[in-house]
Amino acid sequence: MRITALAGGVGGARFVRGLLHELREVRGDTDSEVVVIGNTGDDITLFGLRICPDLDTILYTLGGVVDEGQGWGRVGDSHTVQQELADLGALPQWFGLGDRDFATHIARSQWLGQGQSLSEVTTRLAQRWRLPEQGVRLLPATDTPIETHVVLDDGDQGERAVHFQQWWVQMQAAVPARRFTVAGLAQAPPAPGVLDALRTADVILLPPSNPVVSIGIILGIPGLRDALRGSRAPVVGVSPIIGGAPVRGHADACLATLDVEVSAAGVAGLYADFLDGWLVDDADAGSMSGTRPTVRSLDLRMRDVAGAARIAGAALDLSADLSAPRTA
Amino acid sequence: MRITALAGGVGGARFVRGLLHELREVRGDTDSEVVVIGNTGDDITLFGLRICPDLDTILYTLGGVVDEGQGWGRVGDSHTVQQELADLGALPQWFGLGDRDFATHIARSQWLGQGQSLSEVTTRLAQRWRLPEQGVRLLPATDTPIETHVVLDDGDQGERAVHFQQWWVQMQAAVPARRFTVAGLAQAPPAPGVLDALRTADVILLPPSNPVVSIGIILGIPGLRDALRGSRAPVVGVSPIIGGAPVRGHADACLATLDVEVSAAGVAGLYADFLDGWLVDDADAGSMSGTRPTVRSLDLRMRDVAGAARIAGAALDLSADLSAPRTA
């Protein structure tokens, strides 16, 4: 079976880890291949180093070295470099980077500077974290650098734009965003293998990632959305909203910017043109109407790997049911 | 008094630290300004980061944070980033970089990337290490990137060139060098303030730095050597060779490449066109002939700060004697 998943950061990474657990441990399926198309829309250059937060979170999570408490970064990492940079007055200081994490960004920047594509760099990093051994290929959505900017109301001054990470991390998304703009998105072709992974997939999954600034960015890559619309595989998603609140992160603030209701139904509406199946939390069981997508409810809180595996298993089950030839 | 010193790495840094001790502590001279013109000929880009080993050694030494044992790098530094880069397969791995040291290179590379000159970057780093408070200005010899390459005999293959650091650090200068070439040197103008510091100096000092790959590179900057030849201040040097062997480093291998005798006299010959005073070790007291430069001998081993101060004091004394109006 070929499974292709779109993924943002922490939610996507935990879902994919659960999916692998479900496949390999629960179902004894050692053959299925998993392709993860990772969001690069919140990539940022800090201290002259290229940082891909979502790709790294997936790598570290699948590599078993993620800081589980915060969901990103390396477990037990030290912060010598960051402290020293602060002492040197190097800016900014609002983005937390551990020493082992710094090494990833240094290596990535070096390799990119040598002319390797982000796909090639990501493949090298994936080897370090044994993704091939786990039957996983991680593809950046695009090799072309894109950057999400957040346009803020600046009162009498009109508007001002900040990098997404500044809004997300430094401002904690507490300043209302008027809109998001993604520099370079319209000219960013899908990375090699991305469209093929969607076209040839037996199952396409949308983890409970941020529908605006993670999945939404990936969907904005030219050709991506069309590939989902035209896919032979059913597209099954997991709601990132439970009972009107995001499971994690600031998806509520992002949805508010788009004037979309912060609900499982609101998010499903963003995917209406290609979504075949939709998993919602039991709390939202009665909130969806209409015949498409096919909705199932369950406990959507990913408390641990087993919990994430259970949700991924439900997504696979729903996909199988949607794929089955209809009996008259 | 305005004192200008040319300096390489460890030897130059220790000499300047001794000079400051002699001025401030021994002589109670709080007014004299010291300008250090630092060698940039062994600068190297590793992991995409710009590294200036000699400038950093001076900064760390004067900042009181140098690893005294090895003479360079930060005392008590950890090596988390380097280990992680090794695990990622990032190359090269023969150049030791601590975490705090990495922060220096990251900040420098970031600032250079923002368009600041190496002089400006060095000034920022010097503020971190309180050089202005010590009455010291550190100037890179040039702001233009230059790189010293070492041409090696490659047997049947002819010749091959490696970066100076690879020859010095990885090969420990054990492979005979046919010659040194400094890429960009002829087109590298002196950094702002360098020629002025030589023209307006009351004293010009040459610490016991490597005469070929440290002082020799600085002298190759267009206009530098002429400024020394035409200086109103006497030029007083300290021999880096004691009894036929370098005090430190591989100066013997460098001199051999130039077919210059590994001796105090041999090095003085390299400076013959501008050298007014020359301090040699007592072991070499009888080895110099001729009337110029004026030679004095003393114990030239810099065992500690006080020892370096004593040598610097002797250099100042010789300079004063050379500057004094001749009595008939």
Side-chain angles (χ1 to χ4, degrees):
Chain A
M1 190 161 59
R2 312 185 72 159
I3 304 170
T4 298
L6 276 52
V10 182
R14 288 180 174 172
F15 178 85
V16 171
R17 181 172 60 179
L19 172 66
L20 292 170
H21 185 83
E22 175 72 14
L23 288 171
R24 313 307 187 210
E25 308 300 323
V26 178
R27 304 191 176 194
D29 173 351
T30 55
D31 293 334
S32 287
E33 296 172 347
V34 176
V35 177
V36 180
I37 300 172
N39 174 41
T40 57
D42 56 357
D43 290 3
I44 187 168
T45 300
L46 293 176
F47 307 110
L49 302 173
R50 191 63 178 166
I51 300 173
C52 302
D54 284 0
L55 297 180
D56 286 343
T57 295
I58 294 167
L59 290 165
Y60 295 159
T61 300
L62 299 188
V65 294
V66 76
D67 182 322
E68 294 286 348
Q70 60 188 13
W72 48 271
R74 295 283 300 275
V75 63
D77 212 350
S78 47
H79 289 79
T80 305
V81 173
Q82 172 141 30
Q83 180 58 54
E84 190 65 25
L85 285 169
D87 291 343
L88 285 168
L91 297 173
Q93 291 163 14
W94 47 261
F95 198 85
L97 291 168
D99 293 331
R100 291 185 179 84
D101 204 17
F102 256 113
T104 301
H105 312 316
I106 291 170
R108 174 189 291 120
S109 302
Q110 179 187 16
W111 295 335
L112 288 172
Q114 290 168 348
Q116 295 176 44
S117 69
L118 183 59
S119 291
E120 292 168 327
V121 169
T122 304
T123 295
R124 290 182 76 164
L125 294 172
Q127 284 163 351
R128 162 79 171 111
W129 299 117
R130 296 170 287 97
L131 269 61
E133 295 168 48
Q134 302 176 57
V136 179
R137 272 198 303 147
L138 174 61
L139 307 177
T142 177
D143 280 344
T144 301
I146 56 176
E147 270 195 0
T148 305
H149 297 163
V150 184
V151 179
L152 307 175
D153 186 338
D154 209 20
D156 293 347
Q157 310 297 313
E159 293 183 337
R160 69 185 172 113
V162 298
H163 190 284
F164 168 75
Q165 292 292 355
Q166 189 173 1
W167 180 71
W168 188 264
V169 176
Q170 188 182 31
M171 303 179 182
Q172 290 287 303
V175 181
R178 281 194 175 177
R179 63 185 181 279
F180 303 100
T181 64
V182 189
L185 185 61
Q187 292 79 38
V194 165
L195 293 185
D196 193 56
L198 293 171
R199 288 190 191 113
T200 62
D202 301 301
V203 181
I204 298 175
L205 300 178
L206 303 186
S209 294
N210 189 304
V212 181
V213 293
S214 294
I215 304 290
I217 305 297
I218 299 175
L219 295 176
I221 304 274
L224 242 297
R225 194 164 194 122
D226 282 344
L228 283 165
R229 284 197 194 108
S231 72
R232 64 179 181 86
V235 180
V236 174
V238 179
S239 173
I241 304 290
I242 297 181
V247 178
R248 186 192 165 84
H250 314 297
D252 47 347
C254 298
L255 289 166
T257 297
L258 269 60
D259 274 331
V260 170
E261 183 185 85
V262 182
S263 70
V267 176
L270 291 172
Y271 305 149
D273 50 326
F274 58 78
L275 191 66
D276 300 300
W278 190 230
L279 296 185
V280 303
D281 191 77
D282 289 327
D284 302 308
S287 69
M288 302 281 300
S289 59
T291 57
R292 191 168 174 282
T294 302
V295 175
R296 284 188 190 161
S297 74
L298 69 162
D299 176 4
L300 278 193
R301 300 208 178 263
M302 295 194 286
R303 289 179 186 81
D304 49 24
V305 176
R310 183 180 43 76
I311 297 166
L316 291 175
D317 289 343
L318 176 50
S319 176
D321 292 348
L322 291 167
S323 298
R326 295 208 185 117
T327 50
Chain B
M1 193 163 56
R2 311 185 73 159
I3 304 171
T4 298
L6 275 53
V10 181
R14 288 179 174 171
F15 178 85
V16 171
R17 181 171 58 180
L19 172 65
L20 292 170
H21 186 81
E22 175 71 14
L23 287 172
R24 313 308 187 207
E25 308 300 324
V26 178
R27 306 193 175 193
D29 173 351
T30 54
D31 293 333
S32 288
E33 295 174 348
V34 176
V35 177
V36 180
I37 299 172
N39 174 40
T40 57
D42 56 356
D43 291 3
I44 188 168
T45 300
L46 293 176
F47 308 111
L49 302 173
R50 191 64 178 166
I51 299 173
C52 302
D54 284 358
L55 296 181
D56 287 344
T57 295
I58 295 167
L59 290 165
Y60 295 160
T61 300
L62 300 188
V65 295
V66 76
D67 183 322
E68 294 288 346
Q70 61 187 13
W72 48 269
R74 295 283 300 275
V75 62
D77 212 352
S78 49
H79 290 78
T80 306
V81 173
Q82 173 142 27
Q83 181 57 55
E84 190 67 26
L85 285 169
D87 292 344
L88 284 168
L91 296 173
Q93 290 163 14
W94 48 260
F95 199 86
L97 291 169
D99 293 331
R100 290 184 180 85
D101 204 18
F102 255 114
T104 299
H105 312 316
I106 292 170
R108 174 188 291 118
S109 302
Q110 178 188 17
W111 295 334
L112 288 172
Q114 290 168 347
Q116 295 175 45
S117 68
L118 183 59
S119 291
E120 292 168 326
V121 169
T122 303
T123 296
R124 291 182 74 164
L125 295 171
Q127 285 163 351
R128 162 79 169 111
W129 299 118
R130 297 170 287 98
L131 268 61
E133 295 168 48
Q134 301 176 58
V136 179
R137 273 198 302 147
L138 173 61
L139 307 177
T142 177
D143 280 345
T144 301
I146 57 176
E147 270 194 0
T148 305
H149 297 162
V150 183
V151 179
L152 306 176
D153 185 338
D154 210 21
D156 293 347
Q157 310 298 311
E159 295 182 336
R160 69 185 171 112
V162 298
H163 190 285
F164 168 74
Q165 292 292 354
Q166 189 172 359
W167 181 70
W168 188 265
V169 176
Q170 189 181 31
M171 303 177 182
Q172 290 287 303
V175 181
R178 283 194 176 178
R179 62 183 181 280
F180 303 100
T181 64
V182 189
L185 185 63
Q187 292 78 39
V194 165
L195 293 185
D196 194 56
L198 293 171
R199 289 191 190 114
T200 63
D202 301 301
V203 181
I204 298 176
L205 301 177
L206 303 187
S209 294
N210 190 304
V212 181
V213 295
S214 294
I215 304 290
I217 306 297
I218 299 175
L219 294 176
I221 305 275
L224 242 297
R225 193 163 195 124
D226 282 342
L228 283 165
R229 283 198 195 110
S231 72
R232 64 178 181 88
V235 181
V236 174
V238 180
S239 173
I241 305 291
I242 297 180
V247 179
R248 187 193 165 85
H250 314 297
D252 47 347
C254 298
L255 289 166
T257 297
L258 268 58
D259 274 331
V260 170
E261 184 186 83
V262 182
S263 69
V267 176
L270 291 172
Y271 305 150
D273 50 329
F274 58 79
L275 192 65
D276 301 299
W278 190 230
L279 295 184
V280 302
D281 191 77
D282 288 326
D284 302 308
S287 69
M288 301 282 299
S289 58
T291 57
R292 192 168 173 281
T294 301
V295 175
R296 286 191 187 159
S297 74
L298 69 163
D299 176 4
L300 279 192
R301 300 209 178 263
M302 294 193 287
R303 291 181 184 81
D304 50 23
V305 175
R310 184 180 41 77
I311 298 166
L316 292 176
D317 289 343
L318 177 50
S319 176
D321 292 347
L322 292 167
S323 298
R326 292 203 187 125
T327 50

